Amino acid sequence: MIGVLNHVAIAVPDLEAASKLYRETLGAKVSEPVDQPDHGVTTVFVELPNTKIELLYPLGDDSPIANFLARNPDGGVHHLCYEVEDIAAAAAKLRDSGVRILGSGKPKIGAHNKPVLFLHPKDLLGTLVEIEEA
Ligand code: CO
């Protein structure tokens, strides 16, 4: 059901420093920051030949990554995103298998203008997983 790894998201305490690290030290292609008000984050995308890294920084007062950064002040891997062909079918199969879908359970439009859902880390080996309809 899941396809390619769309991105790995890393929550960072300093978006400018993180962008510089990926651009200059690691020599990657790094985008400008983009605010995602619906998701409470500002994102920077790092393009790699086979996938992307998404640098996440809190936006607004109740950012979903604020607690994560409080627990991980140096930053840390926040979630993985797998592509699926049909997000409604994937969600139905996951629900039938006992995997909890976070939030309203309805897909939101994600950072790449595609429908996304987040899945409960306790049901997926302690890893927050995002699925994105590709
Ligand atoms: Co993501």
Side-chain angles (χ1 to χ4, degrees):
M1 178 174 75
I2 60 170
V4 302
L5 176 68
N6 183 280
H7 61 270
V8 175
I10 302 175
V12 304
D14 180 335
L15 196 52
E16 206 176 304
S19 298
K20 192 172 168 213
L21 177 70
Y22 267 86
R23 185 183 290 118
E24 293 179 17
T25 307
L26 297 177
K29 191 175 167 204
V30 175
S31 80
E32 290 305 311
V34 181
D35 289 345
Q36 318 277 352
D38 286 353
H39 297 273
V41 291
T42 301
T43 50
V44 162
F45 300 107
V46 180
E47 272 182 50
L48 302 181
N50 62 339
T51 191
K52 294 185 279 286
I53 307 295
E54 193 176 274
L55 304 176
L56 301 177
Y57 184 78
L59 176 70
D61 292 333
D62 53 353
S63 171
I65 65 165
N67 286 340
F68 181 90
L69 274 174
R71 289 195 307 274
N72 302 275
D74 297 326
V77 174
H78 184 263
H79 66 264
L80 306 179
C81 177
Y82 302 121
E83 293 184 4
V84 295
E85 273 180 29
D86 179 339
I87 201 161
K93 182 175 185 206
L94 289 160
R95 271 196 202 94
D96 285 349
S97 310
V99 174
R100 287 167 284 178
I101 293 167
L102 298 181
S104 70
K106 301 237 156 44
K108 273 190 178 183
I109 297 303
H112 313 106
N113 288 317
K114 308 259 178 75
V116 301
L117 284 170
F118 284 89
L119 311 175
H120 202 300
K122 289 218 163 114
D123 299 334
L124 285 166
L125 309 173
T127 308
L128 179 60
V129 171
E130 177 182 18
I131 54 173
E132 178 177 299
E133 188 166 282

